Amino acid sequence: MSAIAPCRAALLQISRSATVSTLPRSAVTSRWVQRRNASTKHPKGFVPPSQADLDELRERTIEFARREIPNELAQQVDHSNEFPNEMWKKMGEAGFLGITADEDYGGLAMGYQAHCTVMEELSRASGSIALSYAAHSQLCINQLMLNGNDEQKARFLPGLISGEKVGALAMSEHSAGSDVVSMKMTAKETSDGYTLSGTKMWITNGPDAHYVIVYAKTDPDAGSKGMTAFIVDTCASGFSVARKLDKLGMRGSNTGELVLDNVHVPKENILGQLNKGTRVLMEGLDLERLVLSAGPLGLMKAALDVTLPYVHERKQFDVPLASFQLVQGKLADMYTNYRASAAFTYSVARAIDEGHEAPEIRTQDCAGAILYAAERATECGMDAIQCLGGMGYMNEMPAGRIMRDAKLYEIGAGTSEVRRMVIGRAFNKEFGVKRAGLTSPRVYSSNIRITLSSLLSVSPNAYATPFTRESMHLGIIKCARSSSKGSKRNLLRSITVQYRFPKDITRASTAREFDETSLDVTCGCAFAPACLAAGEDVGDGREERDDALSLLSALKLWKSRGAAMLTLMMALMTVTMPFTIAMKQLVIALTTLLNCGQCQQGGAWWSQ
């Protein structure tokens, strides 16, 4: 028996004792028969572990990390940017790779508290090794457990859980990071499967993986409803790693750019349902955030492990550094940040485990856990460097590595900014507010006929007036005004207009000679300021002030037989604002073309 085998045996005992100690065996069996389809998030026969079980699991993981991932190995992995591939089988033998997988496939059938515990202690030893572990055990194995069919689980999970095979998940692309729906990779149907073409970027475990869960567009025109998840064997023809990425931190967690050049994937390797890849993605996204939030916890503990002994042993002015109140303040902040973050993460994991029969997984809780922990871990890393002074800046000390590793968690798996937006949207959903935010470009048009009499109501002779650049001023007001069931109102009150005349406009002496000339107008919108000045209730206006809407309008004017046709085509080119107004409710209003006399006097808006 290998030296690691007792660790796996102990972990299996923990898992089984959690079941047996809670209820009699017959009761457990009966309960499982009645509830076996109640939860799709936990392993078969799952019963929440006790705190004693989790404490024992933590001790076992610490023992493993001390033996297999000493500080010297962690430093070597960081400096060489190479993952120790023998670690996969060691983690597999220890039972860590299948924490949330069924025992039928070699897993431990434990829950997310256990997964967070292992992730934290591995991160404490080495952030990069733990990140690769999470990509394998959570992003790949747990996705297969949640969405794979029995045949797929039997075919892929045993090798992945034992560590003989390495797994990864490929979602991001050069042009599709947080905006994953805009991915360009396509999957074209063939007689016996699909052909995948495209590239994936920033893929953890990509250079080492044997199996990769890849998201691709099976129906590119359907947006989020046209994505499908595939299990791709990296031995397939056309699959290659373009390059291994050289990162600031998490060095040794091999990350790469993947190229799929007409890679054939059989139909039986579709994960979930066809065109339901977004559902597969969302099934595991919140749980991914939760488990990954334990990574920063381990890094904060590592920062304390480095800092506390140093500041108590290092002396300046004949006293230990820890006797200075400014240093004490940093230590207090580091410890408090860790404890608060740990309480957040484990309270969410505990709620999910204990509610396993009908788990309520709240997006704002999972996103909030990793948002808070990630930012606090970076702060702890910076404080550790500062407390160590000159030595903290040396690469021979782990403080710099800890800080660089921690920064990844503010970027990977969704940036801090996206997490804040996700939390806000979750609250909007609870209160029945339609989702606002980034949308794909769409085109809307409206044709409006106005009579020449309305244009010439002020000056009947304007039509024959000599035409100059200053003789025409086009404006649009009240482009949109809507309310959502009497709640928050989004009002658009003013639009600034810029236009450029064609080069030959100087040859047109009257408006009649301008009949066949086109005028391109670019409109930029001003949102909240006008509303706030008028005392309208539009919230705090922060989003409206910060964001902008670009509109491209093409205007063509024809004048004949006493009538004018004004065709306005408004295309939403880029939308970067929270836009809760349904486009079908838009009320488009126009201003008039002012006569020359008014324009020469400075212009005035005709208001509808």
Side-chain angles (χ1 to χ4, degrees):
M1 180 180 289
S2 68
I4 302 175
C7 183
R8 175 178 176 81
L11 294 179
L12 283 170
Q13 182 62 35
I14 291 171
S15 176
R16 290 165 182 158
S17 66
T19 302
V20 174
S21 62
T22 305
L23 289 172
R25 185 177 182 85
S26 59
V28 173
T29 304
S30 175
R31 184 176 184 176
W32 168 241
V33 170
Q34 296 173 2
R35 299 287 189 178
R36 62 181 180 273
N37 295 320
S39 173
T40 59
K41 307 297 183 183
H42 289 81
K44 181 171 59 176
F46 171 78
V47 172
S50 67
Q51 187 58 50
D53 295 331
L54 294 172
D55 291 342
E56 174 127 6
L57 173 62
R58 186 179 297 276
E59 288 300 319
R60 297 288 182 177
T61 309
I62 292 173
E63 290 175 9
F64 174 88
R66 286 174 178 168
R67 182 176 64 249
E68 303 297 338
I69 316 176
N71 182 64
E72 293 76 17
L73 177 63
Q75 289 289 84
Q76 178 186 338
V77 168
D78 180 65
H79 294 164
S80 65
N81 194 26
E82 290 290 342
F83 188 91
N85 286 317
E86 67 277 5
M87 190 64 63
W88 289 116
K89 287 189 177 180
K90 291 181 179 180
M91 289 191 292
E93 292 173 356
F96 296 148
L97 299 181
I99 292 287
T100 57
D102 291 348
E103 288 187 29
D104 296 343
Y105 308 111
L108 295 182
M110 301 184 76
Y112 296 99
Q113 294 178 88
H115 208 169
C116 287
T117 299
V118 174
M119 179 63 181
E120 178 183 351
E121 293 304 332
L122 292 180
S123 297
R124 184 181 184 180
S126 170
S128 57
I129 291 177
L131 182 66
S132 288
Y133 161 78
H136 177 96
S137 63
Q138 177 63 32
L139 276 65
C140 184
I141 291 178
N142 203 55
Q143 281 284 51
L144 282 168
M145 277 301 306
L146 294 178
N147 299 283
N149 55 42
D150 291 340
E151 186 275 332
Q152 290 172 339
K153 293 177 183 179
R155 183 153 50 104
F156 296 111
L157 285 179
L160 290 168
I161 292 173
S162 68
E164 295 177 3
K165 303 292 183 180
V166 179
L169 182 143
M171 178 176 62
S172 299
E173 299 179 4
H174 285 278
S175 59
S178 298
D179 183 16
V180 64
V181 177
S182 66
M183 67 173 58
K184 300 297 188 298
M185 178 169 286
T186 59
K188 297 182 180 179
E189 188 173 8
T190 61
S191 59
D192 59 344
Y194 288 83
T195 299
L196 274 62
S197 298
T199 63
K200 294 295 181 180
M201 188 64 173
W202 308 297
I203 308 306
T204 303
N205 293 349
D208 305 324
H210 298 88
Y211 304 123
V212 183
I213 297 176
V214 177
Y215 291 88
K217 289 286 187 70
T218 42
D219 186 356
D221 297 329
S224 62
K225 297 181 180 179
M227 286 198 312
T228 303
F230 297 89
I231 306 170
V232 177
D233 190 329
T234 60
C235 293
S237 176
F239 184 97
S240 63
V241 179
R243 57 184 172 130
K244 177 181 171 181
L245 303 177
D246 188 12
K247 306 188 300 297
L248 171 70
M250 293 297 184
R251 299 173 59 79
S253 175
N254 294 337
T255 307
E257 178 183 5
L258 308 183
V259 178
L260 282 74
D261 184 9
N262 294 321
V263 174
H264 175 73
V265 180
K267 290 184 178 179
E268 55 266 27
N269 279 21
I270 292 178
L271 184 61
Q273 301 178 26
L274 183 65
N275 293 328
K276 300 295 184 181
T278 301
R279 180 178 180 180
V280 174
L281 175 65
M282 299 309 294
E283 280 281 327
L285 190 56
D286 286 333
L287 296 173
E288 171 190 337
R289 292 180 179 127
L290 174 61
V291 173
L292 286 179
S293 71
L297 301 184
L299 293 172
M300 282 187 272
K301 288 181 76 172
L304 286 166
D305 290 341
V306 172
T307 306
L308 286 172
Y310 186 88
V311 298
H312 284 87
E313 295 172 3
R314 167 79 167 169
K315 290 185 178 182
Q316 289 292 283
F317 306 103
D318 296 325
V319 293
L321 292 177
S323 64
F324 296 106
Q325 290 183 346
L326 288 176
V327 175
Q328 293 170 5
K330 290 188 180 299
L331 297 178
D333 289 343
M334 294 170 67
Y335 180 75
T336 304
N337 285 338
Y338 165 70
R339 293 289 290 176
S341 300
F344 195 163
T345 291
Y346 286 104
S347 67
V348 176
R350 185 179 304 109
I352 293 174
D353 279 356
E354 293 181 353
H356 64 96
E357 294 181 354
E360 180 185 6
I361 302 175
R362 290 164 54 88
T363 295
Q364 56 267 47
D365 289 343
C366 297
I370 190 171
L371 167 66
Y372 189 79
E375 293 185 346
R376 301 295 79 76
T378 302
E379 293 173 4
C380 283
M382 295 295 291
D383 285 344
I385 294 174
Q386 196 68 24
C387 287
L388 269 62
M391 289 306 298
Y393 204 66
M394 299 295 106
N395 281 331
E396 65 186 86
M397 296 293 287
R401 166 172 58 86
I402 293 168
M403 184 275 293
R404 288 184 283 107
D405 289 352
K407 188 61 182 176
L408 180 278
Y409 285 107
E410 293 188 58
I411 301 171
T415 64
S416 293
E417 291 75 18
V418 168
R419 291 165 190 161
R420 286 182 166 87
M421 185 164 55
V422 165
I423 293 170
R425 287 176 178 174
F427 289 131
N428 289 346
K429 185 176 180 180
E430 288 185 0
F431 282 85
V433 177
K434 292 183 179 179
R435 174 175 175 173
L438 307 182
T439 61
S440 301
R442 294 182 175 86
V443 176
Y444 303 88
S445 63
S446 178
N447 298 327
I448 303 169
R449 179 180 295 275
I450 58 175
T451 62
L452 186 62
S453 60
S454 63
L455 303 177
L456 305 179
S457 59
V458 178
S459 176
N461 297 324
Y463 192 71
T465 304
F467 188 88
T468 64
R469 291 178 182 269
E470 292 77 20
S471 66
M472 183 176 183
H473 188 51
L474 174 66
I476 303 174
I477 61 171
K478 292 183 181 179
C479 180
R481 178 169 181 147
S482 176
S483 59
S484 176
K485 297 181 180 180
S487 60
K488 178 179 177 181
R489 303 170 68 188
N490 253 325
L491 304 179
L492 175 60
R493 282 297 186 84
S494 63
I495 296 183
T496 58
V497 180
Q498 297 177 343
Y499 49 83
R500 181 180 60 193
F501 290 107
K503 293 181 180 179
D504 60 351
I505 195 64
T506 55
R507 295 195 296 271
S509 59
T510 66
R512 183 175 284 105
E513 296 179 28
F514 187 63
D515 287 352
E516 304 301 325
T517 305
S518 297
L519 180 63
D520 291 328
V521 182
T522 301
C523 303
C525 302
F527 276 75
C531 307
L532 296 174
E536 299 284 359
D537 180 16
V538 293
D540 62 8
R542 184 181 298 115
E543 294 175 340
E544 291 85 352
R545 287 194 298 272
D546 291 344
D547 300 318
L549 175 67
S550 293
L551 299 176
L552 178 66
S553 301
L555 175 66
K556 291 188 176 181
L557 181 65
W558 297 273
K559 299 185 183 73
S560 61
R561 298 184 181 179
M565 168 63 76
L566 186 63
T567 301
L568 179 65
M569 299 184 66
M570 303 178 65
L572 286 170
M573 298 301 291
T574 56
V575 181
T576 58
M577 65 163 52
F579 197 48
T580 60
I581 307 173
M583 291 307 298
K584 65 181 180 180
Q585 296 177 331
L586 281 181
V587 179
I588 300 177
L590 297 177
T591 62
T592 187
L593 299 175
L594 301 180
N595 63 63
C596 302
Q598 288 175 312
C599 288
Q600 291 170 353
Q601 295 172 10
W605 293 100
W606 169 75
S607 178
Q608 179 175 334

